[in-house]
Amino acid sequence: MSKPTSRRPSTSCPSPSGLRTREQSEQLRDVLQRRIEDARRADPAAGYAAHLRTALDYRGWFAFTPWVVNDAAPGSRRKLSGRTGLSQGEQRVLSYLVLFAAAAAHFTSLADTAPHTPRLILLDDAFAKVDEPTHARLGRILVDLDLDFVLTSERLIGNWPDVPSLHIYECLRDPHLRGVATLHYMWNGRHRRLMSV
């Protein structure tokens, strides 16, 4: 399955030094200078290398707290940690969300320097062990992130209402005959139509 390409305007993102304005470079320098000074004040006995390591360790710049929300019990949520018990389907969904977000961020960072780069995700045996209602939600997330995608599956049809258009190819194989028959469908967000060969 694949989604036709539609590009959103590129959003602001960190730029290579050659693309930053003088004002942006000064702002970046000031921020890093403050971080180094803060590290020096916190531990004056440490050397300059230690201050730099502390100041530039981006892992401490932000803290994220992911939560698991259960639609069947509105208002209930669990903090995600190494001890949070997740079903196989929940684990898969979580990994898909991280993959989609990382891919979208990567492609967005390329938008200024390579605007024609395909925002493409390829998933083999897509959404295995994920319940069917969640298939449509994951499809919607791919659309919301403006990602193009190719999915292979033995059971996905792809006619999800929140996905505005898809090309769907169904491959049929008789083990007693050579070759593979292919049916091509178009999904327009409401109807699936068999295309002529």
Side-chain angles (χ1 to χ4, degrees), residues 48-117:
Y48 186 67
H51 295 149
L52 277 180
R53 266 195 308 276
T54 301
L56 302 179
D57 185 358
Y58 62 87
R59 294 171 298 177
W61 294 1
F62 301 100
F64 299 95
T65 305
W67 299 88
V68 178
V69 179
N70 183 354
D71 287 344
S76 71
R77 62 182 192 167
R78 296 175 288 160
K79 191 174 185 178
L80 185 62
S81 70
R83 296 183 176 190
T84 306
L86 298 174
S87 69
Q88 282 189 335
E90 288 173 323
Q91 291 174 27
R92 297 272 177 127
V93 169
L94 184 61
S95 65
Y96 284 129
L97 295 177
V98 172
L99 170 69
F100 297 167
H106 173 69
F107 293 133
T108 298
S109 74
L110 297 175
D112 290 334
T113 55
H116 301 295
T117 301

Side-chain angles (χ1 to χ4, degrees), residues 123-139:
L123 296 175
D124 186 30
D125 197 16
F127 308 157
K129 300 188 179 174
V130 174
D131 60 56
E132 284 192 30
T134 306
H135 295 171
R137 292 178 183 168
L138 291 170

Side-chain angles (χ1 to χ4, degrees), residues 112-192:
D112 290 334
T113 55
H116 301 295
T117 301
R119 297 172 60 89
L120 183 62
I121 291 229
L122 309 173
L123 296 175
D124 186 30
D125 197 16
F127 308 157
K129 300 188 179 174
V130 174
D131 60 56
E132 284 192 30
T134 306
H135 295 171
R137 292 178 183 168
L138 291 170
R140 178 67 206 185
I141 290 168
L142 287 166
V143 170
D144 288 345
L145 292 173
D146 193 29
L147 292 169
D148 302 312
F149 51 90
V150 176
L151 312 176
T152 66
S153 174
E154 294 181 2
R155 64 200 189 316
L156 285 182
I157 300 298
N159 50 344
W160 305 314
D162 287 334
V163 175
S165 65
L166 285 173
H167 288 274
I168 302 167
Y169 295 89
E170 184 177 6
C171 298
L172 307 170
R173 182 174 181 275
D174 185 329
H176 304 293
L177 299 173
R178 294 181 64 176
V180 175
T182 303
L183 298 175
H184 176 199
Y185 299 92
M186 271 292 296
W187 169 254
N188 66 4
R190 293 174 302 164
H191 304 289
R192 187 176 61 159

Side-chain angles (χ1 to χ4, degrees), residues 28-45:
L28 177 61
R29 188 191 66 233
D30 291 345
V31 168
L32 294 176
Q33 177 99 29
R34 281 196 305 272
R35 293 193 59 80
I36 294 167
E37 289 169 2
D38 290 346
R40 187 179 296 132
R41 275 194 296 278
D43 188 2

